[in-house]
Structures are given as structure tokens and as C-alpha cells.
Amino acid sequence: MVQTSNRSATISLSFEQYVSGDFDYPWSDCIWVDGEIVEVAPESGRNNRIAVFLTLEFGFYSRSQGLDLGICHKDTDIEVDSLKHQTRKPDVMICSRAMTELLDDRSSVILKSMEPPLIIVEVISKNYRKVDLEEKVQEYGDRAVPEYWTVDCDRSDPLFIVRNLDPQTQQYVERIYRPGD
């Protein structure tokens, strides 16, 4: 059961109920974790602006190159397994157009049985630093997401890390970029 300090409600929910969207829940920023709804803390304004900027840039690039991509911005979950069976809600996901059209007519959750996103981008936040840099690397690699990017501006020397999944080892190979690269 989930209970938050400022709410008295507790909600236990099967994964099928979560995916169907057939439940009444007062918070939009939530994920599903082993049968429970978990409220996700809001991001900082800077993190949100970075995620919006990247979403727009991906959209501009996709259109200018004639690519048939769909872009999800903090509005779509992806089912993963790590220490727990759960969903994540990445800041930005680049998917095939077919995937985003499929999600138009159903709950916005990319199931393990579906093709993975092409790229997932997370803007690192103070509250989820370890999750973004460790747990999600493993989870997205296990889901065979070809690229996982992290944008880390909570440092004195901001980093942009691009991880490409090596098809032989199924491990990510990292390239680190700094401002000006």
C-alpha cells in the first residue's frame, strides 16, 4: 500500500489495472511499483526546461530530416524489471511513429512485449541521481533500448552522457560530452 505524508489515500493496483487506466487516482505524476501506485516528486524548473528543449530539438530534427519518429515527453511509462517489476516515466523518449500511434489508442505504457523506444533521455535530478545513473542504465539495457542519454547539470562541470547498446555484449558503451563539445 502507498501512503504519502500529505494524503490519506492508499492504493494497491494490479499491473493490468494500471495499464488499462481503469482506476481513480488524484496525482498525475506517478509510476507503478510491484502492485502499488507511487507518487513521483516534481522536477525542478531547470530540469523541465531542459527536457522541453530536448523534446523540441528532437521534433525539429526529425521533421527537417524527414524521419518518421514519435516523441514522448514525460507522459509515457515504460515497463521494466530490476529489483522490482515497475514502470518508469522518462523525461523524453524517441519512438517509432507506429509505437506512438499505437499508444494513442490505449494506455500510455510501453509494455515489455512491445518494441523498445529508440532513445531514452533522462535529465538527472538531485532526488533520483543514483536511480538515473545506475538502476535505469541496467533497466533500459535489459529492455534493449539502443540509446540512453543522461543530461547532468547539477554539477560544476555539466555532463551529457550518450550510452549506445553494444549488440554483442548487450552492455552500454558510454561517450561523455561537456559544454562546447
PDB file of all heavy atoms in Angstrom, residues 116-131:
ATOM      1  N   PRO A 116      11.117  -1.587 -27.983  1.00  0.00           N
ATOM      2  CA  PRO A 116      11.616  -0.555 -27.074  1.00  0.00           C
ATOM      3  C   PRO A 116      11.701   0.795 -27.787  1.00  0.00           C
ATOM      4  O   PRO A 116      11.749   0.851 -29.017  1.00  0.00           O
ATOM      5  CB  PRO A 116      13.011  -1.052 -26.701  1.00  0.00           C
ATOM      6  CG  PRO A 116      13.446  -1.849 -27.884  1.00  0.00           C
ATOM      7  CD  PRO A 116      12.189  -2.485 -28.427  1.00  0.00           C
ATOM      8  N   PRO A 117      11.729   1.879 -27.008  1.00  0.00           N
ATOM      9  CA  PRO A 117      11.992   3.189 -27.611  1.00  0.00           C
ATOM     10  C   PRO A 117      13.370   3.172 -28.277  1.00  0.00           C
ATOM     11  O   PRO A 117      14.229   2.363 -27.919  1.00  0.00           O
ATOM     12  CB  PRO A 117      11.987   4.150 -26.419  1.00  0.00           C
ATOM     13  CG  PRO A 117      11.343   3.411 -25.309  1.00  0.00           C
ATOM     14  CD  PRO A 117      11.556   1.958 -25.568  1.00  0.00           C
ATOM     15  N   LEU A 118      13.579   4.061 -29.224  1.00  0.00           N
ATOM     16  CA  LEU A 118      14.877   4.168 -29.896  1.00  0.00           C
ATOM     17  C   LEU A 118      15.896   4.881 -29.012  1.00  0.00           C
ATOM     18  O   LEU A 118      17.068   4.536 -28.990  1.00  0.00           O
ATOM     19  CB  LEU A 118      14.718   4.913 -31.220  1.00  0.00           C
ATOM     20  CG  LEU A 118      13.714   4.291 -32.189  1.00  0.00           C
ATOM     21  CD1 LEU A 118      13.439   5.224 -33.353  1.00  0.00           C
ATOM     22  CD2 LEU A 118      14.207   2.937 -32.654  1.00  0.00           C
ATOM     23  N   ILE A 119      15.429   5.907 -28.307  1.00  0.00           N
ATOM     24  CA  ILE A 119      16.282   6.703 -27.411  1.00  0.00           C
ATOM     25  C   ILE A 119      15.465   7.058 -26.179  1.00  0.00           C
ATOM     26  O   ILE A 119      14.296   7.426 -26.282  1.00  0.00           O
ATOM     27  CB  ILE A 119      16.758   8.013 -28.079  1.00  0.00           C
ATOM     28  CG1 ILE A 119      17.568   7.728 -29.342  1.00  0.00           C
ATOM     29  CG2 ILE A 119      17.578   8.859 -27.098  1.00  0.00           C
ATOM     30  CD1 ILE A 119      17.919   8.977 -30.144  1.00  0.00           C
ATOM     31  N   ILE A 120      16.095   6.973 -25.016  1.00  0.00           N
ATOM     32  CA  ILE A 120      15.514   7.495 -23.775  1.00  0.00           C
ATOM     33  C   ILE A 120      16.487   8.533 -23.237  1.00  0.00           C
ATOM     34  O   ILE A 120      17.701   8.305 -23.211  1.00  0.00           O
ATOM     35  CB  ILE A 120      15.283   6.391 -22.724  1.00  0.00           C
ATOM     36  CG1 ILE A 120      14.174   5.448 -23.182  1.00  0.00           C
ATOM     37  CG2 ILE A 120      14.947   7.005 -21.358  1.00  0.00           C
ATOM     38  CD1 ILE A 120      13.860   4.321 -22.212  1.00  0.00           C
ATOM     39  N   VAL A 121      15.934   9.678 -22.817  1.00  0.00           N
ATOM     40  CA  VAL A 121      16.738  10.747 -22.235  1.00  0.00           C
ATOM     41  C   VAL A 121      16.216  11.039 -20.834  1.00  0.00           C
ATOM     42  O   VAL A 121      15.015  11.229 -20.644  1.00  0.00           O
ATOM     43  CB  VAL A 121      16.665  12.047 -23.073  1.00  0.00           C
ATOM     44  CG1 VAL A 121      17.527  13.140 -22.446  1.00  0.00           C
ATOM     45  CG2 VAL A 121      17.079  11.792 -24.511  1.00  0.00           C
ATOM     46  N   GLU A 122      17.119  11.068 -19.875  1.00  0.00           N
ATOM     47  CA  GLU A 122      16.789  11.467 -18.512  1.00  0.00           C
ATOM     48  C   GLU A 122      17.627  12.685 -18.156  1.00  0.00           C
ATOM     49  O   GLU A 122      18.837  12.701 -18.377  1.00  0.00           O
ATOM     50  CB  GLU A 122      17.090  10.350 -17.503  1.00  0.00           C
ATOM     51  CG  GLU A 122      16.267   9.100 -17.668  1.00  0.00           C
ATOM     52  CD  GLU A 122      14.847   9.202 -17.136  1.00  0.00           C
ATOM     53  OE1 GLU A 122      14.428  10.292 -16.691  1.00  0.00           O
ATOM     54  OE2 GLU A 122      14.152   8.173 -17.174  1.00  0.00           O
ATOM     55  N   VAL A 123      16.967  13.710 -17.613  1.00  0.00           N
ATOM     56  CA  VAL A 123      17.664  14.862 -17.066  1.00  0.00           C
ATOM     57  C   VAL A 123      17.840  14.546 -15.584  1.00  0.00           C
ATOM     58  O   VAL A 123      16.854  14.374 -14.865  1.00  0.00           O
ATOM     59  CB  VAL A 123      16.864  16.170 -17.278  1.00  0.00           C
ATOM     60  CG1 VAL A 123      17.628  17.356 -16.703  1.00  0.00           C
ATOM     61  CG2 VAL A 123      16.570  16.383 -18.761  1.00  0.00           C
ATOM     62  N   ILE A 124      19.073  14.422 -15.148  1.00  0.00           N
ATOM     63  CA  ILE A 124      19.374  13.979 -13.786  1.00  0.00           C
ATOM     64  C   ILE A 124      18.855  14.993 -12.768  1.00  0.00           C
ATOM     65  O   ILE A 124      19.082  16.191 -12.890  1.00  0.00           O
ATOM     66  CB  ILE A 124      20.895  13.810 -13.584  1.00  0.00           C
ATOM     67  CG1 ILE A 124      21.493  12.884 -14.639  1.00  0.00           C
ATOM     68  CG2 ILE A 124      21.217  13.317 -12.173  1.00  0.00           C
ATOM     69  CD1 ILE A 124      20.934  11.507 -14.668  1.00  0.00           C
ATOM     70  N   SER A 125      18.165  14.466 -11.757  1.00  0.00           N
ATOM     71  CA  SER A 125      17.700  15.330 -10.674  1.00  0.00           C
ATOM     72  C   SER A 125      18.368  14.892  -9.373  1.00  0.00           C
ATOM     73  O   SER A 125      18.787  13.737  -9.239  1.00  0.00           O
ATOM     74  CB  SER A 125      16.178  15.275 -10.539  1.00  0.00           C
ATOM     75  OG  SER A 125      15.768  13.973 -10.216  1.00  0.00           O
ATOM     76  N   LYS A 126      18.456  15.805  -8.442  1.00  0.00           N
ATOM     77  CA  LYS A 126      19.114  15.507  -7.162  1.00  0.00           C
ATOM     78  C   LYS A 126      18.463  14.331  -6.463  1.00  0.00           C
ATOM     79  O   LYS A 126      19.138  13.489  -5.882  1.00  0.00           O
ATOM     80  CB  LYS A 126      19.071  16.742  -6.257  1.00  0.00           C
ATOM     81  CG  LYS A 126      19.930  17.866  -6.744  1.00  0.00           C
ATOM     82  CD  LYS A 126      19.769  19.096  -5.868  1.00  0.00           C
ATOM     83  CE  LYS A 126      20.493  20.255  -6.510  1.00  0.00           C
ATOM     84  NZ  LYS A 126      20.171  21.519  -5.914  1.00  0.00           N
ATOM     85  N   ASN A 127      17.132  14.260  -6.515  1.00  0.00           N
ATOM     86  CA  ASN A 127      16.405  13.215  -5.791  1.00  0.00           C
ATOM     87  C   ASN A 127      16.578  11.831  -6.402  1.00  0.00           C
ATOM     88  O   ASN A 127      16.392  10.831  -5.717  1.00  0.00           O
ATOM     89  CB  ASN A 127      14.910  13.544  -5.746  1.00  0.00           C
ATOM     90  CG  ASN A 127      14.617  14.796  -4.983  1.00  0.00           C
ATOM     91  OD1 ASN A 127      15.425  15.258  -4.191  1.00  0.00           O
ATOM     92  ND2 ASN A 127      13.453  15.368  -5.218  1.00  0.00           N
ATOM     93  N   TYR A 128      16.886  11.751  -7.701  1.00  0.00           N
ATOM     94  CA  TYR A 128      16.923  10.458  -8.392  1.00  0.00           C
ATOM     95  C   TYR A 128      18.271  10.184  -9.057  1.00  0.00           C
ATOM     96  O   TYR A 128      18.355   9.389  -9.988  1.00  0.00           O
ATOM     97  CB  TYR A 128      15.807  10.393  -9.445  1.00  0.00           C
ATOM     98  CG  TYR A 128      14.438  10.486  -8.825  1.00  0.00           C
ATOM     99  CD1 TYR A 128      13.707  11.673  -8.905  1.00  0.00           C
ATOM    100  CD2 TYR A 128      13.882   9.417  -8.134  1.00  0.00           C
ATOM    101  CE1 TYR A 128      12.454  11.771  -8.314  1.00  0.00           C
ATOM    102  CE2 TYR A 128      12.637   9.510  -7.550  1.00  0.00           C
ATOM    103  CZ  TYR A 128      11.929  10.685  -7.646  1.00  0.00           C
ATOM    104  OH  TYR A 128      10.694  10.779  -7.063  1.00  0.00           O
ATOM    105  N   ARG A 129      19.327  10.819  -8.596  1.00  0.00           N
ATOM    106  CA  ARG A 129      20.647  10.720  -9.192  1.00  0.00           C
ATOM    107  C   ARG A 129      21.105   9.257  -9.343  1.00  0.00           C
ATOM    108  O   ARG A 129      21.475   8.809 -10.422  1.00  0.00           O
ATOM    109  CB  ARG A 129      21.639  11.525  -8.361  1.00  0.00           C
ATOM    110  CG  ARG A 129      23.019  11.531  -8.884  1.00  0.00           C
ATOM    111  CD  ARG A 129      23.871  12.562  -8.122  1.00  0.00           C
ATOM    112  NE  ARG A 129      24.959  12.938  -8.973  1.00  0.00           N
ATOM    113  CZ  ARG A 129      24.852  13.737 -10.023  1.00  0.00           C
ATOM    114  NH1 ARG A 129      23.715  14.281 -10.332  1.00  0.00           N
ATOM    115  NH2 ARG A 129      25.897  13.979 -10.777  1.00  0.00           N
ATOM    116  N   LYS A 130      21.075   8.508  -8.257  1.00  0.00           N
ATOM    117  CA  LYS A 130      21.527   7.114  -8.287  1.00  0.00           C
ATOM    118  C   LYS A 130      20.624   6.273  -9.198  1.00  0.00           C
ATOM    119  O   LYS A 130      21.110   5.428  -9.942  1.00  0.00           O
ATOM    120  CB  LYS A 130      21.546   6.539  -6.872  1.00  0.00           C
ATOM    121  CG  LYS A 130      22.051   5.127  -6.839  1.00  0.00           C
ATOM    122  CD  LYS A 130      22.137   4.573  -5.444  1.00  0.00           C
ATOM    123  CE  LYS A 130      22.674   3.170  -5.565  1.00  0.00           C
ATOM    124  NZ  LYS A 130      22.641   2.349  -4.484  1.00  0.00           N
ATOM    125  N   VAL A 131      19.336   6.505  -9.132  1.00  0.00           N
ATOM    126  CA  VAL A 131      18.387   5.764  -9.971  1.00  0.00           C
ATOM    127  C   VAL A 131      18.701   6.008 -11.449  1.00  0.00           C
ATOM    128  O   VAL A 131      18.795   5.071 -12.240  1.00  0.00           O
ATOM    129  CB  VAL A 131      16.933   6.175  -9.639  1.00  0.00           C
ATOM    130  CG1 VAL A 131      15.961   5.597 -10.646  1.00  0.00           C
ATOM    131  CG2 VAL A 131      16.565   5.737  -8.231  1.00  0.00           C
TER     132      VAL A 131
END
